[in-house]
Amino acid sequence: MIEKRLKKNYKIKIDKNIKKIPEHYRAEILAGYEDVLKEFPNAKGLVKKIIVEDGKNSRTLMYTRVIRNVYINRNIAFSVEELDRYFESLPEGYLPVNVSLRGVASHEIGHCLESYILYKRDSEHPGRYKEDAWSRSVVAQEIVEKAYLNIPDSIEEISIYSTRNDAEKLAEAVNDFLTNGYNAQQLSKEIVKIIKEELR
């Protein structure tokens, strides 16, 4: 079972309420998290907690509000109908091609990768400094800019959502790469390559 592997192999604390997510969907979400952990094995302790909470009126299924913690909105996740409605409401091209719930989960761990690199680079500054740098997407901006410089030709965007800001572009690159592999967008592959270089 994926939940046990995440706890045992990656020392992640998982909210007991995760069991209230319908089994198939829960397996997809946790598999998406595990995909990132396997792809980036050098990021030890990448995720600390998976928390299920009341997302109030938010239409966001998953999010990262505290560095290296992942949140799941129970108002959507506990209902098959709401989960289906969530995906049906997304316009074409909003997410990378072929993306499923598993890819959306990978996207969230992509945000954790950004914060992990920030902490790895700068272990001396206090937590408040790092949280400010994370909120301003300092690491994502540097990685995305470097990726664009490394690709000489004009390139397609990863998804509509990736155009919001560099933090979302980095997370969508992880999503696209893990979903589509060799067929991922060139920008996604370059961003993932730079992330792996950062983690060496």
Side-chain angles (χ1 to χ4, degrees):
M1 178 186 255
I2 299 174
E3 188 176 341
K4 286 182 180 176
R5 284 201 306 272
L6 290 174
K7 288 178 178 177
K8 182 181 177 184
N9 298 343
Y10 302 102
K11 312 300 182 213
I12 299 172
K13 294 180 181 177
I14 301 177
D15 193 315
K16 64 183 179 183
N17 287 316
I18 200 157
K19 295 193 182 302
K20 294 180 182 176
I21 299 172
E23 186 176 358
H24 168 73
Y25 294 100
R26 180 173 74 243
E28 281 279 296
I29 290 169
L30 294 177
Y33 295 164
E34 188 176 40
D35 288 343
V36 181
L37 296 166
K38 285 180 176 177
E39 188 67 34
F40 301 93
N42 290 344
K44 305 291 184 194
L46 177 61
V47 179
K48 293 179 179 178
K49 295 179 186 175
I50 299 170
I51 300 163
V52 179
E53 68 173 15
D54 182 354
K56 309 294 184 195
N57 297 321
S58 173
R59 293 305 304 161
T60 302
L61 174 58
M62 286 174 263
Y63 41 94
T64 45
R65 191 176 63 235
V66 176
I67 289 176
R68 286 158 67 184
N69 287 353
V70 180
Y71 296 83
I72 302 171
N73 183 353
R74 71 181 186 212
N75 300 334
I76 299 174
F78 285 3
S79 164
V80 171
E81 293 77 19
E82 286 296 325
L83 283 163
D84 289 342
R85 192 176 296 126
Y86 171 79
F87 277 98
E88 288 165 6
S89 70
L90 300 176
E92 186 176 342
Y94 189 74
L95 300 176
V97 66
N98 299 322
V99 164
S100 64
L101 183 57
R102 187 170 182 159
V104 173
S106 296
H107 168 106
E108 285 313 315
I109 308 300
H111 289 302
C112 293
L113 279 167
E114 181 189 354
S115 66
Y116 187 93
I117 291 168
L118 175 64
Y119 271 68
K120 180 177 180 287
R121 280 183 180 178
D122 196 350
S123 59
E124 294 178 11
H125 281 88
R128 194 179 309 115
Y129 169 86
K130 295 184 188 77
E131 287 173 17
D132 176 62
W134 187 54
S135 70
R136 291 185 292 112
S137 306
V138 171
V139 169
Q141 184 178 359
E142 288 177 16
I143 289 173
V144 169
E145 283 178 3
K146 186 175 180 182
Y148 276 116
L149 288 172
N150 290 349
I151 301 171
D153 304 320
S154 61
I155 52 173
E156 289 184 41
E157 284 298 342
I158 301 164
S159 66
I160 293 170
Y161 193 63
S162 75
T163 63
R164 291 185 67 183
N165 55 51
D166 289 330
E168 298 304 346
K169 199 176 298 270
L170 183 148
E172 282 289 77
V174 171
N175 176 355
D176 183 27
F177 181 81
L178 289 172
T179 299
N180 295 302
Y182 179 79
N183 295 317
Q185 293 286 351
Q186 190 178 4
L187 179 59
S188 298
K189 291 187 276 191
E190 189 62 31
I191 287 171
V192 167
K193 177 182 159 193
I194 295 167
I195 291 171
K196 288 184 175 181
E197 288 170 355
E198 286 275 355
L199 294 171
R200 282 184 191 153

